[in-house]
Amino acid sequence: MSVRPLISIIMPIYNAEKYVCETINSILNQSFNNFEVILVNDGSVDRSGQICDEYSKKDTRIRVFHIENNGPGNARNYGISLAKGEYIQFVDSDDELARDMLEQLINCITNEPSDIVVCGVKKMNFLKQETIHSLSTRVSLDRDIKKDFIKLLKMGLAFAPWNKLYKKEIIDKYKIKFNNELRLGEDALFNIDYFSKANKVYIFEKPLYIYFQRTSSLTNKYNNEKERIQILLYNKLMEFFGKEIDANIIKEVNAYYLMEFSYVIYQNSIGIKNIEDFTQKVKDTKRLINSPEFKAVKKNNYPYSLIQRVVLVLCKLKCEPVLLLILYFHNKLTRPLFMK
């Protein structure tokens, strides 16, 4: 009789032939070995599916499923439905795990039974420069969970699904799923839903997940979608924190979302090609800054960064064309990574 795996590792894969071997190897080389790997080939048109099949022949812990392309959220949901483990770990197909990641996370949740474990992250950019996002080890209960969620949010670690160990029991009990209709923000919504049901959160200091930023390009492809998603997430977060939210938490949420809304405007400025395009993007920017969510955010009293202050001042002065031109030429001259 087969032994039930303790952890189900779910990896959505789409055209990842360049990196997927390194990712799978980092999983198979874990110091902890009581796990299964569910590889969901999300309609790849390169050799990703073939590579996964080859790995499954070499290691019985690997199961491969080939589905039509419908985005990573759908692929993760598919993996969850097939998972046999007590815990769920998500991995992106171009990242890697520290060799002791699973062992460390299981030790955390065994020594201090919790609903979720969150660990730090090592981020590698396209220039091979690394940034370490370490956390302070602690266990959060009740209202402290929301305070710590804000800290994770500011570090860019709250919404990602890959630096966390989830209890499948909670996912199943509350029918928590990734929104199949979204190609952006579905992981953020999943985590907000999950944290809203968690009574105990274990935050572990070590950066055990290695996240690779594979490109420096800031695409303009999903601008309108990103605006809609950021407004959706802002409202979802305010719902999560509740009406009796602490004033300081409101400030932190609004500060974070001024950054996100500013980033939408920044992306909006990148793809300007002609006067007609510029005119449309001015309209898009006006629509965003006239939204109730942006109006709520800009009332915030907070020590913002320079770029955020520029956005605030020009928006208050209704100088959207000037703002777009400043951001457009700023990008052309510096090619920055903005505030991410």
Side-chain angles (χ1 to χ4, degrees), residues 141-245:
L141 301 169
D142 303 323
R143 290 181 64 86
D144 284 340
I145 292 177
K146 296 181 178 180
K147 292 179 181 178
D148 283 331
F149 192 86
I150 283 290
K151 295 176 183 177
L152 294 172
L153 190 69
K154 291 170 66 177
M155 296 179 70
L157 302 181
F159 290 162
W162 27 251
N163 66 323
K164 302 171 178 70
L165 189 67
Y166 303 87
K167 289 182 72 173
K168 189 172 187 294
E169 177 186 1
I170 291 179
I171 293 174
D172 291 341
K173 179 179 179 180
Y174 296 103
K175 297 180 173 56
I176 302 172
K177 293 183 177 181
F178 292 87
N179 190 324
N180 290 342
E181 297 179 0
L182 302 179
R183 292 298 181 101
L184 290 170
E186 78 286 348
D187 48 358
L189 291 172
F190 179 91
N191 276 299
I192 294 172
D193 286 341
Y194 190 96
F195 272 83
S196 70
K197 303 302 181 184
N199 295 313
K200 191 173 184 180
V201 176
Y202 194 119
I203 297 176
F204 187 55
E205 60 185 354
K206 291 189 178 180
L208 300 173
Y209 190 89
I210 306 169
Y211 170 83
F212 287 89
Q213 180 186 355
R214 298 293 181 179
T215 176
S216 62
S217 64
L218 290 170
T219 180
N220 179 37
K221 186 175 181 182
Y222 293 110
N223 270 353
N224 291 334
E225 181 72 359
K226 190 169 180 64
E227 175 190 333
R228 183 176 74 87
I229 294 303
Q230 292 302 345
I231 289 175
L232 173 64
L233 289 178
Y234 176 81
N235 289 317
K236 187 75 173 180
L237 263 183
M238 297 306 287
E239 178 185 329
F240 167 62
F241 287 117
K243 294 181 179 179
E244 298 180 359
I245 185 173

